[in-house]
Amino acid sequence: MDLRMLSRELSLYLEHQVRVGFFGSGVGLSLILGFSVAYACYYLSSIAKKPQLVTGAESFSRFLQDHCPVVTETYYPTVWCWESRGQTLLRPFITSKPPVRYRNEFIKTADGGQILLDWFDNDNSKSYMDASTRPTILLLPGLTGTSKESYILHMIHLSEELGYRCVVFNNRGMAGENLLTPRTYCCANTEDLETVIHHVHSLYPSAPFLAAGVSMGGMLLLNYLGKIGTKTPLKAAATFSVGWNTFACSESLEKPLNWLLFNYYLTTCLQSSVNKHRHMFVKQIDMDHVMKAKSIREFDKRFTSVMFGYQTIDDYYTDASPNHRLKSVGIPVLCLNSVDDVFSPSHAIPIETAKQNPNVALVLTSYGGHIGFLEGIWPRQSTYMDRVFKQFVQAMVEHGHELSNM
């Protein structure tokens, strides 16, 4: 039956049936109920949809359908908050922050710097009591994120349920540690990530080793995988809300409303993060000019691109965009994006490139925003992104060998 016809008929029925006292006919209640029915019909027909699954190999698609079925199930965004910006803004405030006790480790870099790793060892794991073979998940937070982000804490909580160990890679200078050299981080330079991966693998060479990156952390992870191909100790990887084309991301975030809601705030966060270490940069960078930046693009032009030796901001943004390297990824990678993400416009998602690489799977939802993916009436404990993460890492740890046999 046509949904509009159903909505109209139900509204007429309710108006006819409901009566309120001597003076009223229940029209107000009928309108409310009628609107609710109409909204429910609209939601079920236009909002709640199955994600688009794009893979470069039929074998990878079958593997995900068998062992990670969430990527083929209908995603029901929170009924009162399904719009992109609402999902993006609410997620940090509405989702819970599971308690996690970290073990801190500082490791040295080739240039004399230091990186802070936050470990969740999961020594109480009943599924993998032998620490040497306990699966290890490396987690990479977003642009200004650390191990304290709610999405990182949720991933650790889910990994704990599976019996896995986690380690969070905090970008230089972001987790309260001092900078020992005049260098921070960017998603185009993978040297620090390579150092971390080599270090973690050297500690547990017999343990299954996976990685998951969120937003800029996912961009960094994909750029690393695209550079190194199959020569990585990682068994598989997952990314969430990646910005595929940095030019398109920047252009979208500079639209007036997006600039007001996201761009300016993130710019101030970046400025604050580098201003704490201002004395380390004054010899090579005009920090007063950096602190006057009004957008991420201006910050990158005045600070990031200069720090990492790029001639122009365009050179940096070209090198930072993972869409160019997706074709060279040599291990199974699942990438979850929402097509309404204002941080990563849908037209920049490399669907055709993904179809040409048998190791790549794109999972594209119609709604979800940027690292949102809220679902349920009150989405405090879990998100769609959480479920994708849990099912995928479990599938790769327990059944990953099937892919090599397909």
Side-chain angles (χ1 to χ4, degrees), residues 44-210:
L44 292 173
S45 63
S46 302
I47 306 300
K49 297 180 179 180
K50 292 184 177 181
Q52 179 185 3
L53 177 61
V54 179
T55 59
E58 181 61 29
S59 57
F60 199 3
S61 178
R62 290 197 307 270
F63 175 85
L64 292 174
Q65 293 174 43
D66 291 341
H67 303 297
C68 188
V70 65
V71 302
T72 63
E73 298 170 357
T74 301
Y75 164 49
Y76 295 93
T78 297
V79 293
W80 52 269
C81 178
W82 45 263
E83 194 273 335
S84 171
R85 296 174 186 86
Q87 287 246 342
T88 304
L89 289 168
L90 276 177
R91 193 271 313 158
F93 300 102
I94 200 171
T95 54
S96 63
K97 288 193 172 185
V100 174
R101 294 186 63 180
Y102 290 116
R103 173 176 62 85
N104 309 126
E105 180 188 15
F106 287 95
I107 63 173
K108 296 296 183 180
T109 61
D111 68 328
Q114 64 179 0
I115 299 170
L116 174 60
L117 300 180
D118 283 328
W119 288 87
F120 176 74
D121 296 300
N122 202 8
D123 289 330
N124 295 323
S125 172
K126 296 181 179 178
S127 302
Y128 300 92
M129 292 183 285
D130 183 355
S132 67
T133 57
R134 185 176 303 145
T136 303
I137 314 295
L138 174 64
L139 301 177
L140 290 73
L143 180 62
T144 58
T146 68
S147 60
K148 297 179 181 179
E149 303 303 319
S150 62
Y151 55 80
I152 294 293
L153 299 175
H154 276 244
M155 289 181 179
I156 292 175
H157 177 66
L158 295 169
S159 299
E160 180 183 16
E161 292 178 353
L162 294 171
Y164 304 164
R165 169 177 46 231
C166 291
V167 55
V168 184
F169 167 30
N170 296 292
N171 288 303
R172 293 198 201 192
M174 289 304 299
E177 78 281 13
N178 293 324
L179 284 181
L180 302 183
T181 59
R183 170 172 168 167
T184 54
Y185 61 94
C186 76
C187 59
N189 189 294
T190 62
E191 292 173 359
D192 282 359
L193 178 56
E194 292 170 29
T195 298
V196 169
I197 289 176
H198 174 76
H199 173 74
V200 174
H201 181 61
S202 68
L203 295 177
Y204 303 103
S206 300
F209 191 14
L210 293 81

Side-chain angles (χ1 to χ4, degrees), residues 53-56 60 64 332-336 354 357-363:
L53 177 61
V54 179
T55 59
F60 199 3
L64 292 174
V333 175
L334 182 147
C335 308
L336 174 65
N357 188 333
N359 296 305
V360 173
L362 301 181
V363 180

Side-chain angles (χ1 to χ4, degrees), residues 150-339:
S150 62
Y151 55 80
I152 294 293
L153 299 175
H154 276 244
M155 289 181 179
I156 292 175
H157 177 66
L158 295 169
S159 299
E160 180 183 16
E161 292 178 353
L162 294 171
Y164 304 164
R165 169 177 46 231
C166 291
V167 55
V168 184
F169 167 30
N170 296 292
N171 288 303
R172 293 198 201 192
M174 289 304 299
E177 78 281 13
N178 293 324
L179 284 181
L180 302 183
T181 59
R183 170 172 168 167
T184 54
Y185 61 94
C186 76
C187 59
N189 189 294
T190 62
E191 292 173 359
D192 282 359
L193 178 56
E194 292 170 29
T195 298
V196 169
I197 289 176
H198 174 76
H199 173 74
V200 174
H201 181 61
S202 68
L203 295 177
Y204 303 103
S206 300
F209 191 14
L210 293 81
V214 180
S215 190
M216 194 215 76
M219 296 171 69
L220 177 63
L221 181 57
L222 286 170
N223 282 330
Y224 159 78
L225 292 173
K227 290 177 181 179
I228 204 166
T230 59
K231 298 178 181 179
T232 175
L234 293 175
K235 182 177 183 178
T239 67
F240 304 94
S241 295
V242 158
W244 290 98
N245 184 306
T246 315
F247 294 99
C249 298
S250 182
E251 182 180 347
S252 177
L253 286 173
E254 286 169 359
K255 294 178 179 179
L257 182 57
N258 295 336
W259 178 87
L260 181 66
L261 293 176
F262 307 112
N263 199 327
Y264 182 70
Y265 170 73
L266 286 173
T267 302
T268 59
C269 290
L270 288 167
Q271 290 169 325
S272 175
S273 68
V274 300
N275 199 43
K276 291 185 294 186
H277 310 285
R278 186 187 186 103
H279 64 285
M280 299 293 293
F281 311 125
V282 290
K283 291 183 178 180
Q284 65 181 115
I285 294 175
D286 183 350
M287 290 301 295
D288 289 334
H289 195 42
V290 170
M291 297 307 293
K292 294 177 182 177
K294 301 299 181 183
S295 68
I296 296 174
R297 187 197 296 263
E298 289 185 356
F299 177 89
D300 285 337
K301 182 177 181 179
R302 301 173 186 182
F303 185 87
T304 314
S305 61
V306 176
M307 168 166 290
F308 287 93
Y310 291 96
Q311 293 295 318
T312 67
I313 182 67
D314 287 355
D315 290 340
Y316 167 51
Y317 275 8
T318 298
D319 201 26
S321 300
N323 58 341
H324 303 300
R325 297 193 175 95
L326 190 63
K327 62 180 181 295
S328 302
V329 171
I331 63 170
V333 175
L334 182 147
C335 308
L336 174 65
N337 278 84
S338 170
V339 297

Side-chain angles (χ1 to χ4, degrees), residues 1-18:
M1 183 183 294
D2 182 75
L3 290 173
R4 293 181 180 177
M5 179 69 72
L6 174 62
S7 176
R8 189 182 67 178
E9 293 296 330
L10 284 172
S11 297
L12 291 174
Y13 171 78
L14 290 167
E15 183 175 352
H16 177 72
Q17 291 294 322
V18 179

Side-chain angles (χ1 to χ4, degrees), residues 20-36:
V20 180
F22 180 77
F23 298 100
S25 62
V27 173
L29 178 59
S30 297
L31 289 174
I32 292 173
L33 293 173
F35 173 79
S36 299

